[in-house]
Amino acid sequence: MLTKSERLNILSGQEQFALYGLPDFDDSQRMEYFIFTEQEVALVLDQPSVHTQVYCALQIGYFKAKQAFFQFSWDEVNDDCAFILTRYFNDLDFLPVLITKHEYYAQRALIVDLFGYRLWAANFLPSLVERATLVVSRDVTPSFILVELIAYLNDQKIVRPGYTTLQSLISETLSNERKRLGGLLTEMLDDSAKTALQQLLVREDTLSGLTALKQDAKHFGYRMMLLERQKRTALEPLYQLAKVLLPKLKISQQNLNYYASLAHFYTIYDLRRLKQEQTHLYLLCYVWLRYRQLTDNLVDALGYRMKQLEDDTKHKANKLIAQQQANRQQETSQIGRLLLIYVDEQVNDATSFGEVRQQAFAIMPKDRLQITGQRLCEKPLNKMELRWQVVEQLSAHCRKHLRPLYCALDFASTIPYNPWLAALTLMKGVFAKQQRLSLQPMNQCLEKTVSPRLRRYLLTIDVQGKATGVQADRYEFWIYRQIRKRFKSGELYLADSVQHQCFTHELVSLEKMPIVLQQLEIPWVRHPIESQLKVLTEELHRLWLAFDSDLRQGKLKHLEYDSQLKTLTWHKYKVSNDKALQESFYSKLGFCDVADVLRFVNEQCHFLSAMTPLQPRYAKQIADKDSLFAVIIAQAMNYGNLKMAQTSDIPYHILETTHQQYLRRATLKKANDAISNAIAGLSIFPHYSFDLGVLYGAVDGQKLGVEHPTIKARHSSKYFGRGKGVVTYTMLCNHVPVNGGLIGAHEFEAHFVFDIWYQNTSDIVPMVITGDMHSVNKANFAITFWFGLRFEPRFTNLEVQLKNLYCCGDPVQYEKCLIQPVGSIDLRAVLDEKSNIDQIVATLGIKEMTQSTLIRKLCTYTQSNPTRSAVFEFDKLIRSIYTLRYLRDPQIERNSHRSQNRIESYHQLRAAIAQVCGKKELTGRTDLDIEISNECGRLIANAVIYYNSAILSRILDKYEASPKLKILALIKKVSPAAWRNIHFNGHYAFRVSGQSIDLDAIVAKLEL
């Protein structure tokens, strides 16, 4: 067994207490766990004396709560003991005598027999080790392994062993995994490979090779993309080595990403100090992932430059056409006057032609007349020809920016012979030899890529009409455009990419799929597809008939049907404005500093315990709370560490060290979860729900600028002016921001709806998700249904929704309805593609592919693709059911409207935090930095919401004791997403003990 200093520090003190600490029940929990069945009562009464009976009753209740046993003194369980005596012993006189060890162990054995459990014994260790080894192959995070082992023990009905036993087991399992990987790497890496990896850690001038690779691109400029291509080229040999070795190591994608992140976060000095095999593992994983990220960066640059070039050619061509039309319009009157000379009676036939010419030149100068005449004699240039002329004018831009990108990327095709790929390969060969494309002889490969309509624009044609070559600049642009188009459609892909691999290659294999689906407890896999479709089609038919009947009878007061125009008018629900109530309430509260709020929240829920340092394994280091508060505020409020050092009492070097050691996405996410879970435990939280049976979550994006440009940041003059920015995408539930992330301003928000819900790690799990129209696409209704989630967006345009109403079966059966379906749903397509849909569900379920990637690829597939059609047809079914329910029941609209209003209130709070230092933006120089800044901002917002919710909970508890219904009703309407009572700005004195927050004192002073 390991010594205490060698064991992993897996759980914080609070988390350990949650698992192994004596339960601390409130009244409702006592009513839940101390209400016994006949068998349980019989076991209690079977004990020999009153004190052993009471002790047994307590152990039964505690075991039901935590599946564990406790040794406690009577003083520790006074309230629980009093409850047991009152309920089961009629307040019988009770002498608190400690039970003997024999009685304690005997009771344990009887209780586990009663509940069908088994006490932990050494003979269970091999199976638990085997399970731990299996879990480690999926994820090496210690906390994940612990959770999985506890779930396994509960499933097997085995009482979990002590924390130190699990600590030692996990430590040894991780150690064995490291030895396994180290041994394999020692065997497989030759001296040249080891030297190449170690070379990444050698300093040249001021940067090591690894440090240079970690530098992210800031924009899509030529020099920046040149550096990206050089990095990718430098990594090529090591990447090819990693492609061969990593599959042999049998590392899961989750572990590969984890090891790569360690190489990113550890300094060069730290990596040199680790064992050589460990360093090699981290570097190989990092090289594998980084090479693919660089490929994706080049693809993003390619798409950006291609769109820019297409927009420029279209704009300039339109400008030329407009100029031509203006010239012709101006010349028309002059040409008319010239023609009238020939029928002018004042000009007799004896007039010399020279005089006539002089009159003509007076109307239009000679040179201009000559140009106009030539233009009229020639066939006017059409729009297509003008467009290609502009392409030629911009060919230098194409050669400079696009050619290097297309030549660097290795496209592959889903079909055996792809003429577009063959043409690109031919062009790459020509450019590599520094030859000219226009001088190449015409071949079948080049001619196949040009349609008859474009032959005269792209090819050189001889007098016999035979193609002899290509017009190089035009043809090069044409191939690049077509490659991009087919790449987006899924016909072409990049094997060495994170986001742009072949769709079918990313899905779970058909052999593995049944096992994965069995592990996923989701509605889609519980029942046969035929029975599910039958239930859904019957419901849709019933809703169609009910909607038509209600509309005819005038029961739908919010809808008005015009029988003459055959149109439907929607009288939308108006939400009451509680702004005055919010202002009135928070104006009565005293002000406090944001640092004091953070201290108070940390005292209540210990969120700083999640901020573990990045350091060698097993090292113990206590975080400086004041420094952590300072760096969190600095990143959230756009100060940065330097400015925070200038406006606080903590020096810059401490802030910078704390930032590097503690601020990571994983730690900040855990800290946010700790606060969110704590809010859910407050008494006011259930009253935030407007449907007591269902938790509503809202998703929406908020535009925030960035201090420094990054690859993810894009231009948007409407939101960022001349700067760049990103979108912070958030899921809110009962005012609590339970999950969040960053997406590009150019990305479609609807692609991320399922991801943000499914990747939520807090205890607050909404089962209904609302959103605005940006959350709607052609697959979200289907995907959310598969996983048991209700997707209920807020509709704004009635006409658009009526165009998306479908039926099952023949639409003729609804021809007498006032509102008729626009078409029929193809259920056969869904049935035929059931196995492929299951493959998609399994892939999403184990998080091998994000929904954003899946949706992007499905939506860009050709319309004839059967899987795409099946998903979209099923989406039509679920969406039509929801739309009819939405039209019939105005309460659904009210709920979705209120849910979205809450996230708008949160956005106001989030914006107030982001713009404390001036501009409403995130700080950081890389995409990772701005993600950390965003998580810090969410943490501050969460802390503010917790603080306000704690005050509201205390008031609620006070007035529920002596009910004042009017005050209670008002309190439940107050939103905790408010900051009027909190100072965000000023000089921060972290080292000086600030104002201690006393909720009782605050509530006592409050007059409602």
Side-chain angles (χ1 to χ4, degrees):
M1 296 297 290
L2 299 172
T3 63
K4 184 177 180 180
S5 61
E6 293 175 317
R7 295 192 188 105
L8 279 174
N9 187 18
I10 302 173
L11 300 177
S12 66
Q14 187 183 21
E15 290 170 330
Q16 288 182 44
F17 181 80
L19 279 175
Y20 292 97
L22 185 69
D24 183 15
F25 291 156
D26 57 23
D27 290 340
S28 62
Q29 290 171 322
R30 291 187 188 97
M31 290 297 295
E32 179 180 357
Y33 295 113
F34 289 145
I35 300 301
F36 299 139
T37 63
E38 291 183 7
Q39 293 86 348
E40 292 164 359
V41 171
L43 176 59
V44 169
L45 298 179
D46 197 38
Q47 302 306 305
S49 59
V50 175
H51 71 276
T52 55
Q53 291 174 353
V54 174
Y55 200 96
C56 182
L58 292 171
Q59 284 285 25
I60 290 174
Y62 295 154
F63 185 82
K64 289 197 290 186
K66 290 195 173 184
Q67 293 79 51
F69 292 101
F70 307 91
Q71 288 183 310
F72 47 83
S73 66
W74 293 108
D75 292 336
E76 294 176 282
V77 293
N78 277 330
D79 294 338
D80 294 342
C81 183
F83 181 89
I84 295 292
L85 289 170
T86 302
R87 186 167 187 86
Y88 295 103
F89 294 93
N90 298 320
D91 291 323
L92 187 70
D93 290 338
F94 171 70
L95 186 62
V97 179
L98 285 177
I99 67 171
T100 65
K101 282 187 178 183
H102 172 74
E103 290 171 327
Y104 168 75
Y105 289 118
Q107 286 185 7
R108 281 204 323 172
L110 292 171
I111 292 172
V112 294
D113 285 343
L114 177 65
F115 290 100
Y117 270 72
R118 293 172 288 173
L119 289 169
W120 171 256
N123 61 327
F124 294 133
L125 191 58
S127 62
L128 197 61
V129 169
E130 183 181 349
R131 185 69 179 186
T133 305
L134 182 64
V135 173
V136 163
S137 67
R138 290 168 51 200
D139 193 333
V140 293
T141 309
S143 57
F144 177 82
I145 301 169
L146 180 68
V147 170
E148 288 294 310
L149 291 182
I150 290 175
Y152 170 76
L153 290 168
N154 289 339
D155 185 59
Q156 297 296 314
K157 291 200 169 185
I158 300 172
V159 178
R160 59 178 170 268
Y163 179 54
T164 54
T165 302
L166 292 175
Q167 272 184 305
S168 300
L169 187 149
I170 293 171
S171 298
E172 291 178 3
T173 305
L174 289 172
S175 177
N176 292 336
E177 176 69 3
R178 286 195 300 275
K179 289 176 183 177
R180 182 186 74 84
L181 295 174
L184 289 172
L185 285 174
T186 303
E187 292 176 10
M188 293 187 293
L189 285 174
D190 56 23
D191 292 338
S192 60
K194 292 177 182 177
T195 303
L197 288 170
Q198 288 299 126
Q199 196 64 30
L200 292 175
L201 307 180
V202 175
R203 290 184 179 275
E204 295 177 3
D205 298 328
T206 56
L207 288 179
S208 69
L210 182 61
T211 306
L213 290 172
K214 289 179 181 180
Q215 304 300 311
D216 284 333
K218 308 297 181 188
H219 49 76
F220 297 124
Y222 174 76
R223 292 185 182 277
M224 192 63 69
M225 289 300 105
L226 176 62
L227 288 175
E228 293 292 279
R229 295 198 304 275
Q230 289 173 347
K231 291 178 197 173
R232 191 169 174 271
T233 303
L235 281 179
E236 178 79 29
L238 285 174
Y239 173 72
Q240 295 302 332
L241 176 66
K243 277 183 72 175
V244 175
L245 294 184
L246 290 179
K248 296 178 181 178
L249 297 179
K250 298 181 180 178
I251 302 175
S252 68
Q253 186 65 47
Q254 179 70 25
N255 284 344
L256 194 152
N257 292 338
Y258 174 72
Y259 293 141
S261 70
L262 292 179
H264 180 85
F265 279 109
Y266 277 130
T267 65
I268 302 298
Y269 175 71
D270 289 332
L271 288 170
R272 286 173 181 164
R273 291 176 60 201
L274 296 173
K275 291 180 180 179
Q276 194 177 57
E277 300 83 16
Q278 204 170 344
T279 302
H280 290 164
L281 174 64
Y282 295 168
L283 291 177
L284 276 175
C285 292
Y286 180 76
V287 164
W288 186 90
L289 184 62
R290 185 59 174 156
Y291 184 90
R292 292 178 171 233
Q293 289 173 342
L294 291 170
T295 299
D296 289 343
N297 288 348
L298 296 184
V299 172
D300 289 343
L302 185 149
Y304 174 82
R305 289 295 181 185
M306 200 72 218
K307 184 178 185 303
Q308 187 182 57
L309 189 58
E310 287 182 345
D311 291 345
D312 286 348
T313 56
K314 186 176 181 180
H315 173 72
K316 291 186 177 182
N318 289 338
K319 192 174 180 181
L320 285 174
I321 292 171
Q323 187 177 349
Q324 275 189 356
Q325 291 174 346
N327 290 340
R328 286 176 183 172
Q329 191 173 5
Q330 185 179 355
E331 293 166 354
T332 299
S333 61
Q334 294 174 326
I335 293 171
R337 290 171 61 191
L338 288 173
L339 293 174
L340 288 174
I341 293 176
Y342 291 95
V343 293
D344 191 348
E345 297 295 340
Q346 296 179 2
V347 180
N348 57 47
D349 295 340
T351 306
S352 65
F353 187 67
E355 292 180 13
V356 175
R357 290 177 67 185
Q358 292 303 317
Q359 289 183 31
F361 293 157
I363 297 172
M364 184 180 287
K366 180 179 179 179
D367 55 346
R368 190 173 170 191
L369 180 60
Q370 192 171 8
I371 294 171
T372 303
Q374 289 175 350
R375 184 163 56 243
L376 290 173
C377 291
E378 296 172 356
K379 185 177 180 180
L381 294 175
N382 59 23
K383 189 174 182 179
M384 180 75 76
E385 180 61 37
L386 285 173
R387 184 84 178 266
W388 285 113
Q389 285 185 4
V390 173
V391 168
E392 284 186 301
Q393 294 171 13
L394 297 175
S395 59
H397 183 281
C398 183
R399 288 192 296 271
K400 180 180 180 181
H401 293 288
L402 288 175
R403 184 184 291 179
L405 296 173
Y406 277 97
C407 289
L409 295 169
D410 299 317
F411 293 95
S413 175
T414 55
I415 57 179
Y417 175 77
N418 192 301
W420 305 99
L421 208 53
L424 180 63
T425 304
L426 186 147
M427 288 167 54
K428 285 183 180 181
V430 170
F431 299 146
K433 297 174 184 177
Q434 296 186 341
Q435 297 175 349
R436 298 183 65 180
L437 188 60
S438 58
L439 300 179
Q440 301 304 307
M442 195 65 191
N443 61 32
Q444 191 177 13
C445 167
L446 296 175
E447 197 164 4
K448 268 189 174 181
T449 56
V450 180
S451 65
R453 184 175 65 92
L454 297 176
R455 279 173 58 87
R456 66 191 182 99
Y457 301 114
L458 301 180
L459 304 180
T460 53
I461 311 294
D462 61 14
V463 292
Q464 299 176 350
K466 185 178 179 181
T468 58
V470 297
Q471 299 185 46
D473 293 335
R474 296 184 178 190
Y475 184 79
E476 184 177 3
F477 173 80
W478 168 250
I479 291 297
Y480 292 162
R481 187 181 182 194
Q482 291 302 310
I483 291 289
R484 174 67 180 163
K485 177 182 175 182
R486 281 157 175 75
F487 181 69
K488 290 178 67 177
S489 70
E491 183 181 328
L492 301 178
Y493 64 91
L494 288 164
D496 301 321
S497 164
V498 176
Q499 298 182 17
H500 305 288
Q501 298 178 59
C502 180
F503 179 66
T504 54
H505 295 174
E506 291 189 272
L507 296 176
V508 170
S509 65
L510 291 173
E511 296 78 18
K512 188 180 176 183
M513 181 183 70
I515 301 172
V516 174
L517 289 175
Q518 190 175 3
Q519 294 173 348
L520 294 175
E521 295 187 3
I522 57 175
W524 177 255
V525 298
R526 291 177 190 160
H527 306 288
I529 180 64
E530 293 81 6
S531 61
Q532 293 189 63
L533 288 179
K534 182 181 178 182
V535 171
L536 291 171
T537 53
E538 288 175 353
E539 182 181 3
L540 180 59
H541 178 68
R542 179 184 58 78
L543 285 171
W544 267 114
L545 298 181
F547 173 63
D548 185 67
S549 174
D550 291 346
L551 193 60
R552 288 179 183 277
Q553 297 176 32
K555 292 181 179 180
L556 307 179
K557 304 299 182 184
H558 57 291
L559 295 176
E560 183 179 339
Y561 182 75
D562 190 322
S563 57
Q564 293 181 343
L565 298 176
K566 295 185 177 181
T567 57
L568 197 62
T569 304
W570 196 345
H571 302 295
K572 294 183 180 179
Y573 165 72
K574 293 183 180 180
V575 179
S576 59
N577 190 353
D578 292 329
K579 187 176 180 180
L581 172 64
Q582 314 296 331
E583 287 288 329
S584 172
F585 176 79
Y586 285 105
S587 65
K588 294 181 172 66
L589 297 178
F591 287 97
C592 64
D593 295 333
V594 66
D596 294 331
V597 170
L598 288 175
R599 285 194 190 93
F600 168 76
V601 176
N602 185 55
E603 288 169 2
Q604 302 300 313
C605 61
H606 309 285
F607 68 87
L608 285 187
S609 63
M611 308 298 291
T612 53
L614 183 69
Q615 54 190 345
R617 195 177 293 268
Y618 308 120
K620 301 289 191 297
Q621 183 174 332
I622 300 173
D624 177 11
K625 294 180 181 179
D626 294 330
S627 300
L628 279 172
F629 291 145
V631 292
I632 290 170
I633 293 173
Q635 297 304 307
M637 299 184 180
N638 197 24
Y639 281 110
N641 293 333
L642 181 59
K643 195 166 183 179
M644 176 55 75
Q646 296 169 351
T647 190
S648 72
D649 54 357
I650 299 181
Y652 173 75
H653 71 277
I654 293 180
L655 294 175
E656 192 65 18
T657 302
T658 304
H659 184 179
Q660 293 175 2
Q661 279 288 321
Y662 293 93
L663 291 198
R664 304 191 303 282
R665 280 180 299 182
T667 56
L668 287 166
K669 190 173 178 63
K670 287 182 181 178
N672 269 302
D673 286 347
I675 301 176
S676 298
N677 296 339
I679 297 173
L682 297 174
S683 58
I684 192 66
F685 183 80
H687 298 285
Y688 290 151
S689 300
F690 35 79
D691 187 334
L692 294 178
V694 180
L695 267 181
Y696 275 74
V699 294
D700 197 14
Q702 180 181 23
K703 306 289 192 301
L704 290 179
V706 293
E707 186 180 6
H708 302 283
T710 67
I711 284 287
K712 189 171 281 186
R714 298 297 172 90
H715 287 289
S716 176
S717 57
K718 179 179 178 181
Y719 297 103
F720 313 127
R722 294 183 179 179
K724 290 184 175 182
V726 294
V727 175
T728 64
Y729 199 60
T730 307
M731 180 172 74
L732 198 81
C733 182
N734 277 11
H735 298 291
V736 184
V738 294
N739 199 9
L742 288 184
I743 62 176
H746 62 292
E747 295 181 285
F748 191 24
E749 290 180 12
H751 292 175
F752 300 87
V753 171
F754 175 76
D755 280 349
I756 200 168
W757 174 78
Y758 198 60
Q759 294 173 4
N760 169 34
T761 52
S762 73
D763 295 341
I764 304 173
V765 183
M767 293 313 295
V768 177
I769 290 294
T770 65
D772 56 18
M773 291 308 297
H774 292 112
S775 67
V776 179
N777 59 20
K778 293 184 178 181
N780 275 349
F781 283 97
I783 291 176
T784 51
F785 177 87
W786 294 338
F787 285 83
L789 176 66
R790 280 163 46 192
F791 180 47
E792 299 189 353
R794 181 180 65 188
F795 292 145
T796 54
N797 190 318
L798 179 61
E799 292 300 320
V800 172
Q801 303 317 314
L802 294 180
K803 292 176 182 177
N804 287 282
L805 269 176
Y806 292 84
C807 68
C808 295
D810 192 350
V812 174
Q813 60 184 317
Y814 304 104
E815 62 182 2
K816 293 184 179 180
C817 293
L818 298 178
I819 303 297
Q820 298 176 10
V822 295
S824 178
I825 299 167
D826 186 0
L827 297 178
R828 173 49 55 187
V830 181
L831 289 168
D832 291 344
E833 288 294 306
K834 174 63 164 62
S835 61
N836 289 332
I837 292 176
D838 284 348
Q839 213 175 352
I840 292 172
V841 172
T843 306
L844 287 173
I846 61 175
K847 304 180 183 178
E848 287 290 331
M849 178 193 284
T850 61
Q851 182 222 10
S852 57
T853 302
L854 170 73
I855 296 302
R856 176 175 53 78
K857 293 187 176 183
L858 277 179
C859 291
T860 53
Y861 264 16
T862 56
Q863 292 188 2
S864 58
N865 182 273
T867 305
R868 176 187 189 272
S869 300
V871 173
F872 289 2
E873 290 299 313
F874 190 77
D875 186 86
K876 289 178 186 177
L877 175 59
I878 306 302
R879 180 172 182 172
S880 297
I881 290 173
Y882 170 68
T883 304
L884 289 172
R885 287 178 52 240
Y886 190 92
L887 292 173
R888 290 190 66 213
D889 186 359
Q891 187 61 42
I892 296 176
E893 181 195 1
R894 295 190 191 104
N895 289 345
S896 62
H897 201 146
R898 290 174 65 188
S899 180
Q900 288 306 113
N901 282 356
R902 287 182 173 182
I903 202 167
E904 293 299 332
S905 298
Y906 168 77
H907 284 167
Q908 294 174 17
L909 169 61
R910 186 68 188 81
I913 293 169
Q915 62 189 2
V916 167
C917 197
K919 296 181 180 179
K920 190 176 75 172
E921 60 185 21
L922 300 170
T923 187
R925 295 184 176 274
T926 66
D927 286 332
L928 183 59
D929 289 341
I930 62 175
E931 286 183 17
I932 287 173
S933 175
N934 181 54
E935 281 297 315
C936 288
R938 184 163 75 96
L939 192 147
I940 298 288
N942 243 330
V944 170
I945 291 168
Y946 179 92
Y947 171 65
N948 290 333
S949 296
I951 294 173
L952 292 169
S953 295
R954 198 60 60 93
I955 297 171
L956 183 70
D957 296 341
K958 174 183 176 181
Y959 285 102
E960 276 187 337
S962 53
K964 294 186 178 180
L965 299 180
K966 197 170 183 180
I967 292 179
L968 286 174
L970 288 174
I971 287 300
K972 294 171 185 178
K973 289 183 179 180
V974 175
S975 168
W979 65 98
R980 191 184 190 281
N981 54 323
I982 297 171
H983 286 304
F984 284 147
N985 213 337
H987 181 83
Y988 300 96
F990 294 102
R991 300 299 191 197
V992 180
S993 57
Q995 177 186 357
S996 178
I997 293 177
D998 184 351
L999 293 186
D1000 291 327
I1002 293 173
V1003 172
K1005 295 177 183 177
L1006 197 62
E1007 294 182 4
L1008 298 177

